[in-house]
Amino acid sequence: MSKLEELINTLCPNGVEYKSISDLLKLKSLLTVAPSIKVKRNDYYDIGKTPVISQEIEYISGYCDFEDKKIPFGNYICFGDHSEHIKYIDFAFVQGADGLRIIKCNNDLLCLKFIYYAVSNNYVKHNNYERHFKYFVDTIIPIPPIEVQREIVQILDNFTELTAELTAELTARKKQYEYYQNQLLNVQGDKVTLSEVCITASNIKWREQIEEFDYIDLTSVNRENKSINIEKRINKDNAPSRAQQIVKTEDILYATTRPTLQRYCIINDKYNNQICSTGFSVLRPNTKNILPLYLYFVVASKTFLEYVTNNQEGTSYPSISDSKLRNFSFTLPSLAEQKRIIAILARFDKLCNDISQGLPAEIEARKKQYEYYRDKLLAFKELS
């Protein structure tokens, strides 16, 4: 019998209470934290004395030189009101912009990290654009004795540490990839702009259409592995106003809304002649001059990101115009040299981003194993 089984048999053999996060807030076992500072994205730095935590997918969004006395060193659960990302933070930080809800513990009989694991397991994402904290606080979780909570946390921490080690290795590989990418793209050749090597894409005429289409909106593109996941089919009767652009195989899409989040992808045969949002710039390569994968690697480069960062407009919801995006200039080598560079970078890209093999596949397997055991460990009989 494991230590956890012994603790459960001794301390809660007949089951445990279940409570919602709202219940725990009403009992003041949990407290919400109102920050005194909110740092705008334009004020994030690569280095600084205080981490910035936002509702975005990145664990740490950046750094700043401010301190918030309302968020000192301690343990916190952070929930993205729009993004629905849930994070456990065990250090002092400053909130990035709006949309982050912060919770801390106020009860010695609760382990906040257990609460984090439990709510991460039980919260059901809505994946739409609204405020989600009302759903978060309605999430019901088991509340076993504190000794059981701590033992479960220790078990799940071991799983997450293994995944963290693999993720750290993948991060190192990605930095190596970025280095070679920047070196290889810095070649001899003619200076061109994106507009000079791309063909103009066409818009759909909805009144003439009778069939349905896959709709690629901003949320359809995975920022981590650049894959496409379609959740909506549209026709002329239900198409959103932004569903206009027809995409073709080997088009490169780059999101012009909040562009530094780097939501981009290359269209494969599955999505040929489907529809994407006008929130994307559709970069259709003129293959007489530029190979599609070479254009993809140009868009994925650090130089392109720096250009986008310097030319976006707006603060709370920055964007870059399609015309300004297409003004990006770069050196274009011969087609033969493009092929050589693609062959090298494609191997790095597969190693770092292909979820079917290599490090991403192993990380994905670890995550599934963790989620399986998390589900099993948090399935308690309810006390009658």
Side-chain angles (χ1 to χ4, degrees):
M1 184 180 295
S2 69
K3 181 180 178 180
L4 178 61
E5 289 173 325
E6 290 179 1
L7 287 171
I8 291 173
N9 289 339
T10 303
L11 300 174
C12 49
N14 299 319
V16 305
E17 280 190 300
Y18 277 71
K19 293 184 181 294
S20 69
I21 299 300
S22 179
D23 292 333
L24 296 173
L25 289 168
K26 288 175 183 175
L27 292 168
K28 298 191 183 302
S29 297
L30 297 177
L31 301 175
T32 57
V33 178
S36 58
I37 302 171
K38 293 180 182 179
V39 181
K40 294 182 178 179
R41 176 167 285 276
N42 288 348
D43 294 324
Y44 296 2
Y45 302 129
D46 291 335
I47 56 174
K49 66 180 182 180
T50 309
V52 176
I53 303 297
S54 73
Q55 65 169 327
E56 305 302 339
I57 192 169
E58 300 92 353
Y59 184 63
I60 294 176
S61 300
Y63 296 85
C64 68
D65 291 329
F66 306 117
E67 290 182 0
D68 190 340
K69 292 183 179 179
K70 290 189 176 181
I71 313 177
F73 179 85
N75 301 315
Y76 305 90
I77 293 173
C78 294
F79 176 76
D81 209 357
H82 292 302
S83 68
E84 300 181 272
H85 295 310
I86 306 171
K87 301 176 184 179
Y88 179 78
I89 310 296
D90 56 2
F91 47 80
F93 66 92
V94 172
Q95 177 173 329
D98 290 318
L100 192 71
R101 305 301 293 265
I102 305 167
I103 289 174
K104 66 179 182 179
C105 194
N106 191 42
N107 188 325
D108 291 339
L109 297 179
L110 287 180
C111 171
L112 190 66
K113 199 163 193 182
F114 174 84
I115 302 296
Y116 161 75
Y117 280 132
V119 78
S120 296
N121 190 64
N122 291 5
Y123 178 74
V124 178
K125 284 192 172 184
H126 290 70
N127 293 312
N128 56 4
Y129 191 80
E130 63 171 317
R131 294 193 177 276
H132 298 94
F133 191 62
K134 56 182 178 288
Y135 306 123
F136 178 84
V137 297
D138 282 343
T139 305
I140 297 172
I141 61 173
I143 308 295
I146 186 67
E147 295 88 350
V148 174
Q149 295 178 41
R150 288 171 178 158
E151 182 64 18
I152 289 174
V153 166
Q154 184 174 337
I155 295 169
L156 293 177
D157 278 352
N158 288 335
F159 278 106
T160 56
E161 283 172 13
L162 290 171
T163 304
E165 290 173 4
L166 290 171
T167 303
E169 184 178 349
L170 180 59
T171 300
R173 294 292 186 121
K174 285 185 174 181
K175 287 183 179 179
Q176 184 184 33
Y177 171 31
E178 182 182 284
Y179 170 79
Y180 281 108
Q181 184 180 49
N182 293 332
Q183 292 292 314
L184 289 167
L185 294 176
N186 186 20
V187 295
Q188 296 290 323
D190 298 326
K191 203 75 171 177
V192 297
T193 63
L194 287 177
S195 63
E196 291 174 324
V197 296
C198 292
I199 302 168
T200 303
S202 56
N203 283 0
I204 192 168
K205 296 179 180 178
W206 280 111
R207 64 182 179 278
E208 299 174 5
Q209 302 299 325
I210 58 173
E211 69 263 47
E212 279 195 332
F213 297 86
D214 286 328
Y215 178 43
I216 307 171
D217 63 6
L218 297 183
T219 62
S220 302
V221 176
N222 186 301
R223 288 174 49 217
E224 295 300 307
N225 58 40
K226 314 308 176 189
S227 63
I228 301 173
N229 180 32
I230 298 298
E231 296 184 355
K232 184 183 291 186
R233 296 273 291 173
I234 57 174
N235 55 44
K236 66 179 180 180
D237 296 321
N238 66 6
S241 60
R242 293 177 70 87
Q244 296 293 332
Q245 302 179 107
I246 303 170
V247 298
K248 300 285 187 181
T249 300
E250 297 187 326
D251 283 352
I252 284 81
L253 306 188
Y254 193 92
T256 54
T257 301
R258 304 177 80 182
T260 55
L261 296 182
Q262 289 197 289
R263 212 179 283 275
Y264 63 88
C265 65
I266 187 167
I267 297 297
N268 57 32
D269 289 338
K270 180 179 179 180
Y271 299 110
N272 184 46
N273 288 318
Q274 301 308 301
I275 308 300
C276 80
S277 166
T278 53
F280 288 107
S281 179
V282 180
L283 302 172
R284 182 165 299 161
N286 181 344
T287 53
K288 293 180 181 179
N289 301 315
I290 189 168
L291 299 175
L293 273 178
Y294 191 83
L295 176 59
Y296 174 83
F297 288 128
V298 168
V299 168
S301 69
K302 184 178 180 181
T303 306
F304 184 71
L305 175 59
E306 289 172 350
Y307 173 84
V308 167
T309 303
N310 293 332
N311 286 277
Q312 65 180 357
E313 296 178 346
T315 53
S316 59
Y317 212 72
S319 63
I320 186 170
S321 67
D322 183 72
S323 59
K324 190 166 286 186
L325 189 84
R326 291 169 186 271
N327 279 337
F328 174 72
S329 64
F330 60 100
T331 302
L332 185 67
S334 66
L335 291 175
E337 180 64 4
Q338 289 179 44
K339 286 182 181 178
R340 186 187 74 84
I341 293 170
I342 287 170
I344 298 170
L345 293 181
R347 289 197 293 270
F348 275 106
D349 187 68
K350 196 167 191 176
L351 177 66
C352 294
N353 297 314
D354 191 339
I355 61 172
S356 66
Q357 57 185 282
L359 286 169
E362 191 170 351
I363 290 171
E364 187 63 24
R366 292 284 187 183
K367 285 181 178 178
K368 287 180 179 178
Q369 185 184 38
Y370 156 71
E371 288 169 0
Y372 171 81
Y373 281 105
R374 184 182 68 183
D375 187 53
K376 291 290 185 184
L377 289 169
L378 295 170
F380 288 90
K381 180 172 68 175
E382 187 170 3
L383 191 63
S384 57

